[in-house]
Amino acid sequence: MLVVQKSIKHLNLGVYPPDGRVRVAAPLHFTADNIRLAVVSKLSWIKKQQAKFQAQPRQSKREMVSGETHYIFGRPYQLEVIERCGSDEIMLTNNHILQLFIKPGTSTEKRAKVLNEWYRHQLKSRVPELLNKWQEIIGEEVNDWGIKKMKTKWGSCNITKRRIWLNLELAKKPIECLEYVLVHELVHLLERYHNQRFIAYMDRYLPQWQKCRDILNSEPLGEL
């Protein structure tokens, strides 16, 4: 369990994937006993959330078959593969089913490619609004941005060219995580290095940035 104390009014408790790690943010005036009692009072809820994470399939290499769990902006969807003639298509139904319409005999690689392109489209539809919002707030603008698969980073910023790259895997994560990565890369236009000045900017613009960072860092960058 990770406990941090900061200048807030109320205690915040969260349980995060993939293994149900508990994070507590407590007001500065809380004692160790205050925090312990608060956690104990939520123990039943904590165990319930942890059980949910343990029951979820892990994001190993996808076989692209019906019954798999795939994530879209943090929400789990069950894959339903439907073979038919015509164009490839993806549809969301009943708030928990991801339907993949493909031609009979389509390979696993091709199925994954169709899903990847759909993920890319989902990100592209969300980024402009968030980017415009934060460029105005931070006072810095990029010349270009793009999406690509990355093995070790959630995002990157070429300061000279003022270009931001976003990891395609962000389409699986909560939208708050996408927003955090965008802000992180925009702040690099103000400060190149991850020093105290950089942290001060992040604290000013996105006070909950560490929570989003912890969510991303708790999950390995898996293959799509």
Side-chain angles (χ1 to χ4, degrees):
M1 181 174 68
L2 174 66
V3 178
V4 296
Q5 290 186 261
K6 55 177 67 177
S7 182
I8 54 178
K9 292 183 178 180
H10 305 288
L11 182 141
N12 297 313
L13 188 152
V15 181
Y16 302 103
D19 56 0
R21 184 163 58 95
V22 178
R23 183 180 186 276
V24 179
L28 294 173
H29 66 272
F30 268 43
T31 66
D33 283 341
N34 291 149
I35 296 172
R36 181 180 59 81
L37 289 173
V39 172
V40 169
S41 70
K42 294 286 188 178
L43 198 56
S44 176
W45 178 83
I46 291 172
K47 290 183 176 180
K48 183 178 179 180
Q49 299 306 309
Q50 290 175 330
K52 287 182 180 179
F53 291 136
Q54 291 298 321
Q56 288 178 354
R58 293 293 177 248
Q59 289 295 293
S60 56
K61 185 174 177 62
R62 304 287 81 189
E63 298 297 331
M64 300 303 300
V65 295
S66 293
E68 281 185 344
T69 298
H70 291 260
Y71 290 84
I72 303 167
F73 293 119
R75 296 185 60 185
Y77 286 79
Q78 185 176 42
L79 180 65
E80 180 182 6
V81 178
I82 302 172
E83 294 188 341
R84 71 174 188 188
C85 296
S87 60
D88 300 325
E89 185 180 7
I90 289 180
M91 294 181 61
L92 301 180
T93 63
N94 300 325
N95 293 320
H96 68 277
I97 300 295
L98 172 66
Q99 292 183 325
L100 170 60
F101 296 90
I102 43 91
K103 300 178 182 64
T106 299
S107 67
T108 300
E109 291 74 19
K110 174 62 176 178
R111 295 180 185 190
K113 183 178 180 180
V114 172
L115 182 57
N116 283 349
E117 288 307 310
W118 185 82
Y119 272 132
R120 188 181 302 274
H121 177 75
Q122 298 307 304
L123 274 180
K124 285 185 174 180
S125 68
R126 296 292 189 100
V127 170
E129 182 178 359
L130 289 173
L131 187 58
N132 290 338
K133 167 188 171 181
W134 285 104
Q135 285 184 146
E136 182 176 351
I137 292 172
I138 295 174
E140 296 286 344
E141 293 188 4
V142 297
N143 293 328
D144 193 18
W145 63 273
I147 298 165
K148 63 180 179 180
K149 295 181 71 174
M150 295 188 238
K151 293 183 178 180
T152 61
K153 296 181 178 180
W154 294 107
S156 65
C157 178
N158 185 314
I159 296 172
T160 303
K161 296 182 178 180
R162 303 180 76 85
R163 177 191 295 140
I164 286 176
W165 287 104
L166 301 170
N167 193 321
L168 185 58
E169 286 256 309
L170 286 168
K172 295 180 180 180
K173 310 306 177 186
I175 197 70
E176 295 88 350
C177 293
L178 170 60
E179 189 167 28
Y180 154 67
V181 174
L182 274 174
V183 173
H184 180 111
E185 303 309 333
L186 282 172
V187 167
H188 273 307
L189 297 176
L190 297 172
E191 173 54 54
R192 177 185 297 268
Y193 303 104
H194 292 128
N195 52 25
Q196 290 302 313
R197 185 166 179 258
F198 181 90
I199 292 173
Y201 278 129
M202 291 299 297
D203 287 342
R204 179 197 305 177
Y205 294 124
L206 199 68
Q208 72 275 23
W209 69 273
Q210 292 184 356
K211 176 181 177 180
C212 297
R213 181 200 60 188
D214 290 346
I215 293 174
L216 291 177
N217 288 345
S218 68
E219 302 181 24
L221 295 175
E223 294 187 4
L224 284 169

